Amino acid sequence: MKRIQNVVAESRRALPIAAVYAVVVWLLGGLIGHGRWLQFACFALSVYLMMQLNNVNLLIRMYSRMVSVSYILLSCAALFLFATPSGAFLQLTAVASLFCLLQTYQDRSSAGWIYYTFLLLGMGSLVDVHVLFFLPVFWLLMMITVYSFSWHTLMASLLGIATPYWFSFAWYFWQGNGDISPWLQHFAELTSLQLSFSYSMLNLQHLLLIAFLVILFLLGAIHFVVTSYKDKIRVRQMYYSLIVLMLCACVLVALQPQMCDLALHVMIISVSPIIAHFIALTSSRVTNILFFVLAAVTLFLTSMNLWTLS
């Protein structure tokens, strides 16, 4: 007899139900009242890309929509990240860049996909320049997990990251009649960083969500490492990429708590497949209880954030 967690994980109705749930949450969160249609469009596109990420790479070795469902639920639990168009756009570009990167697995001639990966990162960095801190992380992934690093792909990545700034430079140059100081000011934030261990700037929403995501990560990552021999090598490398991204996001929060929102975007994207793998591929009394506990906590966080937004 299947446990409830497995019934949910294997159900073809799980994704449609999660989509309806997301629409209700967004409606309560001000979709119409505050006109957050652009943010909702970015959210919907990011959900579609997460669904494609699972479909193309077969992240779970059985039929399951839990990757998309987990992403929807965790994103709704962090609805405050989508309160502004810039935050929603940042989430979309992060998902899209990861999707493009994973298409380059073991292909050192995939300059096209790499260009799009870093083009998207560059577009995201126009919103938050600190996205540039993840450039070395993506290069590292290309070297140690995705195996797509070469001189061709390196040059493609540099061209990709430079493209948005080439156009933005032209815009600022034209608008300012040759004065590019506002354009240069965008990069000034990169040089004004200091190690900070003061977390007073993080409110209860941030702290609870970070703690919850870390717990989900530990549950999923430990289970994956123990059972990874059952997955194909390609899938293992995909999950190792997600684990590296999550660890880097945790380090970013620890050292630069003012960048918490950026780190949370990365955390949600990284944790969603990892915890989906855990839910879909475990089946015991303890994990079934954990499933209900995690669902309850997710609903609690979502309700709390909706209350705050209202």
Side-chain angles (χ1 to χ4, degrees):
M1 181 178 179
K2 291 185 178 180
R3 300 186 185 276
I4 294 180
Q5 74 173 97
N6 305 116
V7 173
V8 173
E10 298 173 24
S11 174
R12 295 181 181 273
R13 299 176 182 176
L15 184 56
I17 292 173
V20 173
Y21 167 83
V23 171
V24 172
V25 170
W26 273 84
L27 287 172
L28 294 174
L31 175 60
I32 297 176
H34 297 285
R36 291 177 175 149
W37 295 103
L38 181 58
Q39 294 96 305
F40 182 73
C42 289
F43 166 76
L45 285 173
S46 66
V47 170
Y48 173 77
L49 287 174
M50 287 297 290
M51 182 173 63
Q52 289 301 108
L53 182 69
N54 180 44
N55 292 343
V56 172
N57 298 293
L58 299 175
L59 295 178
I60 299 179
R61 55 179 183 272
M62 56 176 285
Y63 177 86
S64 177
R65 296 296 187 186
M66 280 309 298
V67 171
S68 307
V69 172
S70 298
Y71 177 76
I72 289 174
L73 296 181
L74 291 178
S75 296
C76 288
L79 200 61
F80 60 88
L81 294 177
F82 295 86
T84 62
S86 59
F89 180 73
L90 194 61
Q91 180 88 358
L92 176 59
T93 55
V95 175
S97 61
L98 179 63
F99 175 82
C100 292
L101 176 66
L102 296 184
Q103 303 312 301
T104 69
Y105 179 69
Q106 287 190 335
D107 186 358
R108 290 182 169 84
S109 61
S110 55
W113 280 113
I114 292 297
Y115 172 79
Y116 293 130
T117 299
F118 285 83
L119 172 66
L120 290 160
L121 287 177
M123 292 169 64
S125 69
L126 291 177
V127 173
D128 186 344
V129 70
H130 301 114
V131 170
L132 296 177
F133 287 147
F134 282 92
L135 293 184
V137 179
F138 271 63
W139 283 322
L140 179 64
L141 295 179
M142 289 166 61
M143 293 178 190
I144 66 173
T145 59
V146 184
Y147 305 129
S148 60
F149 189 86
S150 67
W151 286 111
H152 289 92
T153 54
L154 175 60
M155 295 307 296
S157 68
L158 294 174
L159 183 60
I161 202 70
T163 300
Y165 287 100
W166 173 264
F167 285 101
S168 66
F169 174 83
W171 170 260
Y172 277 104
F173 186 85
W174 178 62
Q175 287 288 323
N177 295 319
D179 179 17
I180 61 170
S181 55
W183 185 79
L184 294 174
Q185 186 62 32
H186 179 71
F187 300 96
E189 295 182 46
L190 294 175
T191 62
S192 61
L193 299 177
Q194 295 181 349
L195 290 180
S196 172
F197 300 99
S198 174
Y199 304 103
S200 58
M201 64 187 69
L202 301 181
N203 58 33
L204 184 61
Q205 287 175 285
H206 289 96
L207 293 173
L208 289 178
L209 185 59
I210 290 171
F212 184 52
L213 290 173
V214 169
I215 291 171
L216 293 180
F217 170 69
L218 292 175
L219 282 174
I222 293 172
H223 169 261
F224 169 75
V225 171
V226 172
T227 64
S228 61
Y229 66 92
K230 298 179 181 179
D231 289 305
K232 295 180 179 179
I233 294 177
R234 176 189 174 96
V235 174
R236 290 182 220 167
Q237 299 306 107
M238 303 295 175
Y239 277 102
Y240 287 137
S241 299
L242 296 172
I243 290 172
V244 171
L245 277 175
M246 177 61 180
L247 292 175
C248 290
C250 290
V251 171
L252 184 63
V253 171
L255 299 181
Q256 300 291 328
Q258 71 273 17
M259 299 182 197
C260 179
D261 283 1
L262 172 60
L264 281 173
H265 285 297
V266 178
M267 286 181 173
I268 290 172
I269 296 167
S270 304
V271 168
S272 297
I274 294 174
I275 194 60
H277 188 278
F278 172 82
I279 293 172
L281 299 176
T282 57
S283 181
S284 69
R285 185 170 177 271
V286 173
T287 59
N288 199 51
I289 294 173
L290 268 175
F291 171 75
F292 284 105
V293 172
L294 296 178
V297 174
T298 304
L299 289 174
F300 168 76
L301 291 175
T302 305
S303 301
M304 184 182 69
N305 290 325
L306 284 175
W307 177 265
T308 303
L309 286 174
S310 64

